[in-house]
Amino acid sequence: MDALRLRRVNRWQAQGLAGGLADLYVDSRDMSARDEYRSRQDFLNRLTSDIRRPGFAMEIAETDGLVGCAFGFPVRSDGFWWLGFDGALPPSIEQLTESGSVFEITDILVSPHPQGQDHDVACRLQEQLLTDHQASLGATLVNQDDHPTLASLRSWGWLDIGEVWRPAGPTMFRALVFPLGERTAARLEGLAHDAWTRWPG
């Protein structure tokens, strides 16, 4: 992976890459040929919606072609993003949100690699995206039934902090966070223990 290059792209460039990103989405998920078309269209619809969000940003990884991407947008400091969180939001998360230090990473896509180097690509992408935005914490919501994505995120250093229910639909989500840097990780140390209890290896 010495030849790996990370590059930040703006929303117009992201629109131009939409077809390649949809291919990457399909390649990164184990699905039947029958499901590929619908999943591809669903992804393109979500991407189009995300691109229009204020503060949208994307980081892509390339070698001789597109091998990964991570994208998202800043979480508002009013805490609205956490609406539907089950129970009390951990104080450390609340404080980071109020300070404008949280960035939602909507999706991380990585082309599968037989030597497991997709792990390195994913970690570099998520860290670079947060660094570019001077964010201390990444946050994401994942359908609680999407076990492959949950397993991947946990292997990339994300911590599960609880359930979120959104009134727009019946789906229950898991809220996961990714602390950037030792100082933020220290603030979330207790959550790491909770995550280990909730998701035994």
Side-chain angles (χ1 to χ4, degrees):
M1 300 305 282
D2 291 342
L4 183 74
R5 302 178 305 278
L6 299 187
R7 180 163 63 94
R8 187 173 173 180
V9 298
N10 60 35
R11 64 183 69 223
W12 296 280
Q13 292 169 321
Q15 286 174 329
L17 290 168
L21 294 171
D23 291 341
L24 188 63
Y25 175 80
V26 171
D27 290 344
S28 67
R29 280 158 172 75
D30 185 20
M31 64 180 76
S32 67
R34 189 181 68 180
D35 292 334
E36 282 187 10
Y37 177 78
R38 181 177 55 81
S39 296
R40 181 186 172 90
Q41 289 306 121
D42 288 347
F43 169 77
L44 286 170
N45 291 339
R46 290 197 309 273
L47 177 63
T48 300
S49 176
D50 281 353
I51 285 173
R52 295 175 180 152
R53 300 286 293 266
F56 170 84
M58 176 181 287
E59 196 84 28
I60 63 172
E62 301 169 302
T63 51
D64 54 347
L66 185 66
V67 296
C69 82
F71 58 91
F73 41 83
V75 170
R76 284 165 30 183
S77 60
D78 60 8
F80 183 79
W81 193 87
W82 299 102
L83 182 69
F85 186 81
D86 183 25
L89 191 65
S92 54
I93 304 291
E94 192 171 10
Q95 290 160 9
L96 286 165
T97 303
E98 290 173 354
S99 69
S101 301
V102 182
F103 189 91
E104 176 181 359
I105 298 183
T106 309
D107 221 333
I108 304 170
L109 309 176
V110 182
S111 181
H113 195 281
Q115 272 77 47
Q117 290 174 312
D118 45 344
H119 174 275
D120 297 331
V121 176
C123 290
R124 287 179 62 182
L125 280 168
Q126 64 193 24
E127 289 177 10
Q128 189 61 50
L129 188 58
L130 295 178
T131 299
D132 282 352
H133 285 270
Q134 300 180 323
S136 302
L137 191 73
T140 195
L141 296 178
V142 179
N143 185 322
Q144 66 176 0
D145 296 324
D146 189 353
H147 300 295
T149 297
L150 289 168
S152 293
L153 289 170
R154 293 200 305 273
S155 76
W156 300 338
W158 289 74
L159 306 174
D160 179 282
I161 63 168
E163 293 179 336
V164 172
W165 177 77
R166 289 289 165 85
T171 303
M172 186 71 75
F173 295 94
R174 302 303 306 183
L176 292 92
V177 295
F178 177 78
L180 183 67
E182 293 180 6
R183 185 175 176 185
T184 305
R187 291 178 69 176
L188 303 184
E189 192 171 352
L191 296 180
H193 178 268
D194 292 343
W196 181 256
T197 304
R198 195 175 289 118
W199 293 100

